[in-house]
């Protein structure tokens, strides 16, 4: 950092003492001092003189002064545009040559460019020993006109310009870029400078950022943003206890548990709709439950659970009906055919509530194409569907058409779960 004195030149012994007390005396030091009565702050068109020296502090493996060991120390000044540097010992490459310690060399800096101009330095020495740079400093150039009593102008832009979520919330990172200007220039040591950026990358229900800037005349101002809200975290969903488990199975006719959910959001809070579950069903086949929750910032969480409704198992028709591919049952027209079968829900034999219906379709005996639709097989009177407890089977009597000799039919029994049994018949 810049080692400055705005009064008198500091002696080599004093410089070494200060550095030693800071625990930095492990090498010789390049130091500078502003000559007495000259400031590092000048008026445009003016100048200031700076004295440079090498302070031998030792402790770097070489006794005494590194610059005086026959290998000079070359100090090169980096001077920004708009600033000139001149001195009797300064080379055209803006380099000072030191062959001894504690010997001052003087450089005069001049500028008409209003503002702050950092001056930096580098040291090269081919000999033994090391150097620490304690000489960097900043030249401040004030306007040559009337005294500046106006504070810096401070504004800012927010990106994104408008909240990208709901209800004034941002759902991602937000950057605040500061725009700072002043006719005299901003002090290099000002807390906030032009194009400084603040980033909001964490969730909060309200954060403000401030920019405090000072110009080189000491005028200052502070501007604070409005409250910025950020919620980039999706709400969490918790399924209600008793909701169908993911991957669960139920048989048709079983009571399927109702599904529900609750939601939580730590920052913006859950939307008024809360957590909603849609989907599901009791029909045979796979079903999906979808839980959805949205927070007040518009972040959304969706979770799904799947379950399956299993069909009943059919067994039959029993004899006298022959089942199987290519099996054609030949019966006399006008006769009654007993259709016997069983229905199981898993291992449970169902003896009631199967909701069975029966139908017979007239088909072409050779092609199997449907020729006509016969009315549903009646289940009343002597043909009524019944469960035979002694035989442990369901029975439905089919009274075949009396005038249907030579006709072929497909008889179908369908239960409430849409499971079916079919058999082929030909009347003679």
């Amino acid at each position: 950092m810049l080692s400055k004195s705005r009064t008198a030149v500091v002696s080599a012994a004093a410089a070494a003492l200060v550095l030693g007390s800071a625990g930095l005396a492990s090498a010789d030091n390049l130091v500078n001092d502003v000559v007495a009565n000259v400031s590092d702050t000048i008026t445009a068109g003016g100048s200031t003189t700076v004295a440079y020296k090498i302070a031998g502090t030792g402790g770097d493996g070489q006794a005494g002064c590194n610059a005086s060991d026959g290998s000079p120390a070359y100090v090169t000044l980096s001077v920004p545009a708009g600033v000139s540097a001149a001195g009797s010992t300064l080379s055209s490459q803006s380099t000072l040559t030191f062959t001894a310690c504690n010997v001052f060399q003087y450089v005069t800096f001049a500028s008409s460019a209003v503002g702050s101009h950092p001056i930096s330095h580098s040291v090269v020495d081919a000999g033994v020993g090391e150097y620490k740079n304690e000489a960097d400093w900043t030249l401040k150039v004030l306007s040559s006109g009337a005294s500046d009593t106006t504070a810096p102008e401070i504004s800012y832009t927010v990106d994104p310009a408008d909240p990208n979520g709901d209800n004034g919330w941002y759902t991602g990172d937000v950057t605040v870029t500061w725009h700072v200007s002043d006719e005299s220039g901003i002090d290099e040591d000002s807390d906030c400078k032009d194009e400084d950026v603040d980033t909001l990358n964490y969730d909060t229900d309200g954060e403000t950022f401030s920019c405090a800037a000072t110009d080189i005349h000491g005028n200052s101002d502070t501007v604070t943003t409005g409250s910025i809200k950020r919620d980039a975290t999706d709400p969490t969903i918790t399924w209600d206890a008793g909701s169908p488990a993911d991957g669960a199975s139920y048989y048709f006719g079983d009571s399927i548990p109702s599904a529900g959910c609750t939601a939580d959001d730590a920052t913006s809070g859950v939307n008024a709709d809360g957590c909603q579950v849609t989907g599901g069903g009791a029909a045979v086949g796979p079903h999906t439950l979808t839980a959805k929750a949205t927070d007040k910032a518009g972040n959304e969480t969706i979770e799904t659970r799947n379950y399956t409704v299993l069909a009943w198992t059919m067994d039959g028709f029993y004899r006298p009906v022959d089942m199987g591919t290519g099996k054609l049952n030949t019966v006399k027209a006008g006769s009654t055919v007993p259709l016997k079968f069983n229905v199981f829900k898993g291992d449970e034999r169902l003896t009631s509530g199967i909701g069975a219906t029966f139908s017979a379709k007239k088909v072409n005996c050779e092609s199997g194409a449907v020729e006509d639709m016969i009315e549903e097989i009646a289940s009343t009177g002597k043909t009524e569907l019944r469960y035979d407890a002694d035989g442990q089977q369901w029975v439905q009597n089919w009274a075949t058409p009396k005038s249907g000799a030579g006709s072929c039919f497909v008889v179908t029994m369908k239960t409430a779960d849409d499971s079916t049994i079919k058999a082929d018949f030909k009347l003679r």
Side-chain angles (χ1 to χ4, degrees), residues 117-402:
H117 307 284
I119 312 296
S120 60
H121 312 79
S122 60
V123 187
V124 176
D125 187 340
V128 178
E130 301 175 351
Y131 292 88
K132 286 184 176 294
N133 178 13
E134 299 288 333
D136 290 351
W137 65 292
T138 298
L139 175 67
K140 301 173 184 178
V141 182
L142 306 181
S143 171
S144 59
S147 176
D148 180 5
T149 60
T150 303
E153 294 184 1
I154 305 173
S155 63
Y156 61 89
T157 55
V158 179
D159 185 26
D162 297 311
N164 55 359
D166 298 338
N167 302 306
W169 288 86
Y170 286 92
T171 57
D173 289 356
V174 185
T175 58
V176 177
T177 303
W178 295 100
H179 309 291
V180 182
S181 62
D182 187 87
E183 61 178 346
S184 300
I186 301 301
D187 192 318
E188 184 67 21
D189 296 327
S190 183
D191 291 337
C192 181
K193 302 179 182 66
D194 192 41
E195 298 302 317
D196 279 359
V197 175
D198 288 313
T199 300
L200 179 60
N201 55 8
Y202 50 89
D203 288 353
T204 173
D205 60 2
E207 185 68 274
T208 59
F209 296 93
S210 295
C211 174
T214 304
D215 66 18
I216 58 180
H217 284 282
N219 303 302
S220 63
D221 194 13
T222 300
V223 171
T224 302
T225 67
S227 181
I228 301 174
K229 303 186 298 182
R230 178 189 187 273
D231 184 355
T233 304
D234 295 338
T236 59
I237 286 178
T238 301
W239 291 85
D240 290 349
S243 296
D246 191 34
S249 295
Y250 307 91
Y251 279 100
F252 181 83
D254 285 347
S255 176
I256 299 174
S258 60
C261 63
T262 57
D264 183 63
D265 187 82
T267 306
S268 62
V270 179
N271 214 6
D273 292 341
C275 188
Q276 301 291 324
V277 177
T278 58
V284 171
H287 296 274
T288 299
L289 294 168
T290 301
K292 177 180 176 181
T294 306
D295 65 20
K296 294 178 181 177
N299 300 301
E300 181 180 88
T301 297
I302 294 177
E303 292 186 7
T304 60
R305 286 187 175 184
N306 299 296
Y307 67 88
T308 302
V309 176
L310 304 175
W312 296 336
T313 303
M314 302 295 152
D315 188 13
F317 299 118
Y318 301 135
R319 289 190 176 279
V321 177
D322 286 329
M323 300 294 295
T325 303
K327 296 289 186 179
L328 185 61
N329 295 273
T330 302
V331 298
K332 184 177 180 181
S335 62
T336 298
V337 178
L339 303 173
K340 303 176 182 180
F341 60 95
N342 268 305
V343 180
F344 297 90
K345 183 171 70 173
D347 295 331
E348 178 188 357
R349 185 190 299 266
L350 297 181
T351 60
S352 63
I354 63 173
T357 59
F358 298 82
S359 63
K361 290 182 180 179
K362 186 177 182 181
V363 298
N364 185 288
C365 290
E366 294 182 1
S367 66
V370 176
E371 293 185 348
D372 192 13
M373 180 67 185
I374 302 300
E375 295 293 332
E376 288 189 0
I377 296 174
S379 185
T380 59
K382 295 181 179 179
T383 61
E384 183 178 8
L385 174 66
R386 60 187 177 86
Y387 182 76
D388 180 1
D390 292 337
Q392 292 189 314
Q393 61 187 356
W394 289 92
V395 180
Q396 170 71 52
N397 291 322
W398 174 39
T400 63
K402 296 180 178 180

Side-chain angles (χ1 to χ4, degrees), residues 50-104:
V50 176
Y52 290 94
K53 69 178 179 179
I54 300 294
T57 59
D60 58 352
Q62 177 171 313
C65 174
N66 297 343
S68 62
D69 61 359
S71 175
Y74 298 98
V75 177
T76 299
L77 283 62
S78 178
V79 182
V83 178
S84 64
S88 60
T89 59
L90 189 66
S91 72
S92 59
Q93 286 78 32
S94 297
T95 299
L96 299 170
T97 302
F98 290 90
T99 58
C101 287
N102 303 321
V103 177
F104 284 107

Side-chain angles (χ1 to χ4, degrees), residues 27-50:
D28 286 1
N29 287 273
L30 166 62
V31 295
N32 71 7
D33 292 278
V34 179
V35 173
N37 302 321
V38 180
S39 172
D40 57 359
T41 300
I42 64 173
T43 301
S47 64
T48 188
T49 299
V50 176

